[in-house]
Amino acid sequence: MADPPASLSGQDVGSFAYLTIKDRIPLILTKAIDTLHRHKSEFFQKHGEEGVEAEKKAISLLSKLRNELQTDKPIVPLVEKYVDTDIWNQYLEYQQSLLSESDGKPSWYRCPWLYVECYMYRRIHEAIIQSPPINDFDVFKESKDQNFFESQESVIALCTHLQELRRTIEDLDANQLKTQFFQLLQISLWGNKCDLSLSGGESSSQKTNVINSLEDLKPFILVNDMEHLWSLLSKCKKTREKVPIVRVDIVLDNSGFELITDLVLADFLLSSNLATEIHFHGKSIPWFVSDTMIHDFNWLIEQVKYYDHKWMSKCGVDWENYIKMGRWVYHDHMFWTLPHEFAAMSQVAPDLYAELQKACLILFKGDLNYRKLTGDRKWAFSVPFHKALSGFHPAPLCSLRTLKAEIQVGLQPGQGEQLTASEPSWLVTGKYGVVQFDGPLAPSLEVPGE
Ligand SMILES: O=P(O)(O)OC[C@@]1(O)O[C@H](CO)[C@@H](O)[C@@H]1O
Ligand SMILES: [Mn+2]
């Protein structure tokens, strides 16, 4: 099999990767430092002088990181013992092995963008765990919570919509159910626009009622495989006597409004009997500013449950019950916060790969997951999604992604080039999206070993 294309990297001056490393990541680091500053009195109240010293230490570590990045210093090994420290340092050695003598050391602009961006977030985590007693502080928690509070109107509308849907769901025929399914898939897709790492931490909450704008947004869905998802889940539903469990896994992305859209979709999948259990996969450390951790997941459900709105609090009560009954299960494997492309998962995290193989369908939310599914490489726009997955296929899978990086595959011949000509920023603003499926080929088309 031919070598895959080169990785996106900061070596391409002017590229989105280059601009992210040069401008956006230092801004995110500065905001993290500011957040620590603003919590100084809280740290003092909680921990006395020790808390203030810890804040100072974390800030100096983050400032050092920012300087390394802004002066393109060599990437340095992690030093604090943690569950994944050795894996990260082995990965750095692997990056070194890819460079020739003359290339020099792995550095911020020389290494793949995917690696250095993930590494940056892991270094933020190292700075915090090196600063006890504030070693469990989430520098992004405030902005994740703020995104939820600023999206209240849309959350109320969505929860009301879901409860109305649940009241009538028994009377819907297959076509009506499909229509509702497609609507909630699109709402989950567009919920992905609310991403703080794109906005550099600036607010990106959902201000308008997204349900009313689905028709207007439809032309911006470049790949729409929703029919595949419907036929897959309908088939699973029909074979329930033989296969009683229909499991859908959702690899989460951002907390706040996007997470609400994912929980609403997950509730519908159970209420419609299209699935019998939902498994969510979140991050185990603060990641890409807005990505969901267990404390965000639990906090959000608590907020919804105690919100002073009848239908919203009904959703929160239902969602808490799904978790208690084991119909919703939350996982946070450390693989999701490693730098590896997903094609490496079966080698690096065989337990996670085996877990995902239990699913009838895996939904991958967001842009970073898409970058890892396709290896963040310079594929031609018309390369088939299956090929770009480079053998990653634990189960039928679908990416729900708004485009925020210069990578897109599975387009029609000429479709990408046409967009580049008419709208040069189409790959990176989040304005366009895909619902892109990779499932079992029809048996006659399956070519062994391809
Ligand atoms: O995975 P998400 O939350 O959809 O988006 C994450 C992300 O798009 O934010 C940054 C914006 O440049 C990218 O580096 C990264 O891929
Ligand atoms: Mn994200």
Side-chain angles (χ1 to χ4, degrees), residues 1-65:
M1 200 156 87
D3 286 345
S7 306
L8 296 179
S9 95
Q11 286 185 69
D12 303 318
V13 176
S15 69
F16 191 70
Y18 172 85
L19 295 172
T20 299
I21 298 167
K22 184 170 81 62
D23 303 327
R24 186 177 294 106
I25 290 181
L27 178 64
I28 288 168
L29 271 173
T30 301
K31 282 183 181 297
I33 292 167
D34 290 351
T35 300
L36 285 164
H37 266 305
R38 278 187 289 102
H39 283 74
K40 189 173 185 173
S41 52
E42 178 196 311
F43 297 144
F44 179 70
Q45 278 150 25
K46 269 189 190 162
H47 310 290
E49 264 315 307
E50 228 193 325
V52 174
E53 286 313 304
E55 184 248 7
K56 275 197 200 115
K57 178 177 180 186
I59 286 176
S60 72
L61 289 168
L62 293 184
S63 306
K64 178 177 175 299
L65 172 60

Side-chain angles (χ1 to χ4, degrees), residues 219-369:
F220 298 105
I221 301 180
L222 300 176
V223 177
N224 185 342
D225 291 338
M226 292 195 285
E227 287 289 350
H228 286 282
L229 303 186
W230 173 255
S231 69
L232 176 70
L233 290 180
S234 305
K235 232 177 270 159
C236 292
K237 190 173 175 180
K238 287 195 189 97
T239 58
R240 285 278 288 281
E241 293 73 55
K242 276 180 266 158
V243 184
I245 293 177
V246 178
R247 169 174 162 170
V248 173
D249 283 44
I250 304 179
V251 182
L252 297 173
D253 186 3
N254 302 313
S255 189
F257 181 72
E258 180 171 2
L259 181 54
I260 291 287
T261 68
D262 299 334
L263 298 178
V264 166
L265 174 62
D267 187 319
F268 171 80
L269 288 172
L270 294 192
S271 311
S272 62
N273 268 321
L274 281 170
T276 60
E277 58 185 69
I278 310 292
H279 290 245
F280 299 96
H281 300 269
K283 304 302 194 296
S284 55
I285 64 171
W287 196 249
F288 280 71
V289 185
S290 30
D291 282 30
T292 301
M293 293 175 69
I294 182 72
H295 62 227
D296 302 308
F297 187 84
N298 293 332
W299 178 85
L300 199 78
I301 292 178
E302 194 84 356
Q303 292 295 315
V304 172
K305 179 183 171 187
Y306 289 112
Y307 196 84
D308 181 18
H309 184 280
K310 178 180 177 185
W311 300 126
M312 205 156 133
S313 61
K314 168 95 174 48
C315 285
V317 170
D318 292 345
W319 297 347
E320 199 174 62
N321 286 336
Y322 287 145
I323 293 166
K324 281 181 187 153
M325 295 187 292
R327 299 192 69 194
W328 280 6
V329 183
Y330 185 91
H331 309 253
D332 55 5
H333 195 287
M334 83 173 163
F335 179 82
W336 304 114
T337 51
L338 292 177
H340 300 78
E341 306 170 25
F342 288 168
M345 184 191 289
S346 56
Q347 298 298 315
V348 175
D351 55 333
L352 176 60
Y353 197 85
E355 185 62 33
L356 293 179
Q357 284 181 306
K358 298 172 187 170
C360 298
L361 171 65
I362 311 167
L363 300 177
F364 285 91
K365 289 301 307 294
D367 185 73
L368 177 62
N369 277 325

Side-chain angles (χ1 to χ4, degrees), residues 7-11 16-22 25-26 28-29 65 68-69 72-76 78 88 91-92 95 99 105-124 287-288 338-340 368 371-372 376:
S7 306
L8 296 179
S9 95
Q11 286 185 69
F16 191 70
Y18 172 85
L19 295 172
T20 299
I21 298 167
K22 184 170 81 62
I25 290 181
I28 288 168
L29 271 173
L65 172 60
E68 288 172 32
L69 161 63
D72 196 20
K73 289 283 186 315
I75 304 278
V76 295
L78 299 176
W88 276 94
Y91 199 85
L92 174 55
Q95 288 300 325
L99 298 170
K105 290 273 179 213
S107 75
W108 294 86
Y109 288 86
R110 193 173 293 131
C111 286
W113 175 35
L114 179 63
Y115 168 53
V116 298
E117 195 171 25
C118 291
Y119 171 81
M120 192 282 287
Y121 287 99
R122 180 60 179 77
R123 279 286 299 277
I124 292 177
W287 196 249
F288 280 71
L338 292 177
H340 300 78
L368 177 62
R371 291 173 56 197
K372 288 189 168 183
D376 218 32

